[in-house]
Amino acid sequence: MPTIKDVAREAGVSIATVSYVLNKKAVAVSPETRRRVLEAARRIGYRANVTARNLRSSETRLIGYAWYEPPPYDAPFGRLNPILDWFAFYLARSAEQAGYHLLTFTYPPDDPTPTYDELIRTGRVDAFVLTGTVDNDPRVRFLLDQAFPFVSFGRSTEAWDFPWVDTDGRAGVRAGVEYLISLGHRRIAILGWPEDSLSGNFRLAGYCDAMEAAGLPVPDGYVLRGVHTEQAGREAFARWMEMPPHERPTAIVTVSDLMAIGIMNEARRQGVQVGRDLSVIGFDDAPMTEYLQPALTTLQQPIDEIAEALITMLEAILNKEPPAETNVLMPPRLIIRESCVPPPEQALP
Amino acid sequence: MPTIKDVAREAGVSIATVSYVLNKKAVAVSPETRRRVLEAARRIGYRANVTARNLRSSETRLIGYAWYEPPPYDAPFGRLNPILDWFAFYLARSAEQAGYHLLTFTYPPDDPTPTYDELIRTGRVDAFVLTGTVDNDPRVRFLLDQAFPFVSFGRSTEAWDFPWVDTDGRAGVRAGVEYLISLGHRRIAILGWPEDSLSGNFRLAGYCDAMEAAGLPVPDGYVLRGVHTEQAGREAFARWMEMPPHERPTAIVTVSDLMAIGIMNEARRQGVQVGRDLSVIGFDDAPMTEYLQPALTTLQQPIDEIAEALITMLEAILNKEPPAETNVLMPPRLIIRESCVPPPEQALP
DNA sequence: TTGTAAGCGTTATCAC
DNA sequence: GTGATAACGCTTACAA
């Protein structure tokens, strides 16, 4: 590859002049010299070497982005987070527009900090983007501790002050429940995640908001929790079917498409027809959910906008500008398909 | 961050000595000096700066990996390639073991080469991993042309000599068809991709292999082609239903889960019960397919092994060692679930 | 066995 | 307006 020396030689100037012209800094260069340099650079196809530039400016223009560790094919978020691949795509694209690239890496899920530490100490990246943060997240704690630049898709311990963007699960589920209410439902149940799930609790809160605002009762047994599996959906539905018919929910909200699928499967097994006898709302708009029978109504996370907001935030941080906002919530989009209908005249069979 | 100078000062030696002990090269260093250096390095938490090291050795230890460009939510492989996110994960993990990281980037789908060119000329990466290669792929052509190191997940123009690893779709589909034959089927149809699809043609060939080997007829209309959409599956099934009952296929093989889902959906709409009246095999083992009703029997691509093989190959290339094998085919795994059963006594209703 | 110094390709400071 | 040159942090040839 040609270097700046080659351009200088071609143009008959010094390397300093070449650098001046190419970096269009405030240094005055005569039009004729500028032309000669540009022409020479173009002719030999010169592009500044990124490594050298980075060494000089002590930056890397690389943002570290971690993958979840080995797909535990049946574990929460292992194989079944339908969001993160596209999120990474949008992140990469937004980063490029800001002049950065994504460096992807993996880490042992039980002990992430050494991997982050190594990347920091070897000067591999300028910043990190975190996903899948949990309450009391060790990565957040570590990076805060090291005062190393990062932004996070997702919240963590509320008392910690750090930059994040998150889906407003509370507003999303609230909108979903309101949609069901507008359809005429009054007996609406929800299947959430276990109590230690941050986003699960936000989504659950959205359910409570909507029910309360509409003055609707939330009987015992309407709020169920389960892990992020299809089976948890089946089990929850079975529980609801054990209630007397006139007390059973006519609509069910979930915190994930996977659990919604479990509900739909168990409903079919028990002869309950979703999209006629029962309404179901998912969360995520996973691929394929549109081809379910019935097609699943769900809440789509605005991952494109989230990625963009995160990069904007990170750019400000890296440029040491005061970021406009440091915590932003983005409402999901309600994707209306076929799984929600007005409640049947009578209770579930 | 501490530099090599800091370690040298702490240990009371020169920076060269520090470098010698830390890189455990053949240079002889006295045990005492070695101890002092190691101790100093440990104490101040020194890790060699990657950028400086890279500049010196004119490498980047970065492998470029491109994401598909903007998810055209309804386009072939846009939102619905269930493979690539996990492939990227495995690739990242294998690369790390070889001392590399993945640099992810995006490119405009209609014109990829400028992006690759830029990454090469700026010295951003040492090599590329390609995915989704097609016949006469412009990226393969360009990289071959530039003699820049790369490996590919997927084949391209047969006459081109370049390193690739691919799923053996032909062997996979053949195994799928043989499985159906072992179940007792004789009237087996296939829904493939359009004729310009390389992998589609390989998979189709596997169908022909199996049918021929078993001496089974392939009547007109048994081989259908369509684009990679759910709708193409529906349409194909509708076409087969137009055949006289005793000529209709009792089993259908597809080249993708998405198309298999289309078939299952249209079958249900027409009152044909997959997993009883009709058998269906997908391809990919996409997330969620295990929760379909019936759970889909499908061919899973061994993306973990493919990623590993690609990195091994690339390592050899980058080390200028002769790679063991430069073209390798990996058979998919047949994941047997509920969508395939022995043929019904009589033809489809 | 250890130290000095060149050099990787830039950018930026300082002369001229 | 332009050109030497130092410096970024490292590895390594060569000298001591």
Side-chain angles (χ1 to χ4, degrees), chain A residues 4 19-20 23 25 46 49 53 56:
Chain A
I4 198 169
S19 183
Y20 292 146
N23 295 315
K25 281 288 166 53
Y46 170 77
N49 179 286
R53 172 177 286 174
R56 170 66 218 219

Side-chain angles (χ1 to χ4, degrees), chain A residues 55-251:
Chain A
L55 177 59
R56 170 66 218 219
S57 59
S58 46
E59 58 183 4
T60 65
R61 314 247 34 152
L62 249 23
I63 297 170
Y65 176 76
W67 236 260
Y68 283 129
E69 187 46 16
Y73 265 53
D74 49 2
F77 287 113
R79 193 155 132 80
L80 292 157
N81 192 317
I83 290 303
L84 287 182
D85 54 336
W86 283 116
F87 175 69
F89 168 81
Y90 287 118
L91 201 60
R93 209 181 43 171
S94 291
E96 280 165 30
Q97 273 152 18
Y100 288 85
H101 281 286
L102 246 44
L103 176 146
T104 59
F105 64 98
T106 66
Y107 59 83
D110 47 303
D111 192 16
T113 48
T115 307
Y116 282 85
D117 192 44
E118 177 74 4
L119 257 6
I120 294 174
R121 309 200 80 81
T122 57
R124 221 350 165 179
V125 298
D126 292 342
F128 292 103
V129 172
L130 265 35
T131 57
T133 45
V134 296
D135 200 24
N136 204 17
D137 195 284
R139 297 166 298 164
V140 175
R141 185 206 298 273
F142 177 74
L143 293 173
L144 239 22
D145 218 62
Q146 302 279 315
F148 195 82
F150 77 100
V151 292
S152 163
F153 173 10
R155 287 163 273 185
S156 183
T157 300
E158 210 182 331
W160 293 350
D161 181 28
F162 68 95
W164 53 256
V165 177
D166 203 357
T167 300
D168 193 345
R170 182 169 184 167
V173 170
R174 176 173 183 152
V177 174
E178 283 171 350
Y179 168 63
L180 290 168
I181 292 171
S182 77
L183 250 26
H185 292 274
R186 294 183 55 82
R187 304 211 306 273
I188 305 170
I190 186 167
L191 173 56
W193 279 322
E195 303 206 357
D196 62 0
S197 162
L198 210 54
S199 45
N201 291 340
F202 288 127
R203 295 177 193 183
L204 208 47
Y207 165 82
C208 297
D209 289 349
M211 295 299 274
E212 194 179 323
L216 255 27
V218 179
D220 262 10
Y222 265 34
V223 175
L224 255 29
R225 292 176 186 265
V227 292
H228 183 68
T229 60
E230 188 253 6
Q231 193 182 338
R234 305 183 88 106
E235 290 170 359
F237 184 78
R239 293 265 303 274
W240 283 314
M241 284 300 278
E242 288 166 6
M243 299 175 82
H246 60 284
E247 290 176 16
R248 282 179 204 155
T250 58

Side-chain angles (χ1 to χ4, degrees), chain B residues 100-291:
Chain B
Y100 288 84
H101 281 285
L102 245 46
L103 176 146
T104 60
F105 64 98
T106 66
Y107 59 82
D110 48 304
D111 192 17
T113 48
T115 306
Y116 282 84
D117 191 44
E118 177 74 6
L119 256 7
I120 294 174
R121 309 200 80 81
T122 57
R124 221 351 164 179
V125 298
D126 291 343
F128 291 102
V129 172
L130 265 34
T131 56
T133 45
V134 295
D135 199 24
N136 204 17
D137 195 284
R139 297 166 298 163
V140 175
R141 183 206 298 273
F142 177 74
L143 294 172
L144 239 23
D145 218 63
Q146 303 278 313
F148 194 83
F150 76 100
V151 293
S152 164
F153 173 10
R155 287 163 273 184
S156 184
T157 300
E158 211 182 332
W160 293 350
D161 181 29
F162 67 95
W164 53 256
V165 178
D166 203 358
T167 300
D168 193 345
R170 182 170 184 165
V173 170
R174 177 175 183 149
V177 174
E178 284 171 349
Y179 168 63
L180 290 168
I181 292 170
S182 77
L183 250 24
H185 291 274
R186 295 183 53 81
R187 305 211 304 273
I188 304 171
I190 186 167
L191 173 56
W193 279 322
E195 304 207 353
D196 61 359
S197 163
L198 209 54
S199 45
N201 291 340
F202 288 126
R203 296 177 193 182
L204 209 46
Y207 165 82
C208 298
D209 288 350
M211 295 299 274
E212 194 179 325
L216 255 27
V218 179
D220 262 8
Y222 265 35
V223 175
L224 255 29
R225 293 176 186 264
V227 292
H228 183 67
T229 60
E230 188 254 5
Q231 193 182 339
R234 305 183 88 105
E235 290 169 359
F237 184 78
R239 292 265 303 274
W240 283 315
M241 283 301 278
E242 287 166 7
M243 299 175 82
H246 61 283
E247 290 177 15
R248 282 178 203 155
T250 59
I252 296 166
V253 177
T254 65
V255 290
S256 83
D257 289 343
L258 181 61
M259 294 163 97
I261 288 173
I263 288 169
M264 290 170 77
N265 284 344
E266 182 63 16
R268 170 175 301 143
R269 207 186 62 81
Q270 298 206 21
V272 174
Q273 193 176 326
V274 174
R276 193 194 65 185
D277 310 324
L278 177 70
S279 293
V280 175
I281 292 191
F283 202 109
D284 272 348
D285 188 26
M288 307 283 180
T289 52
E290 61 188 302
Y291 303 121

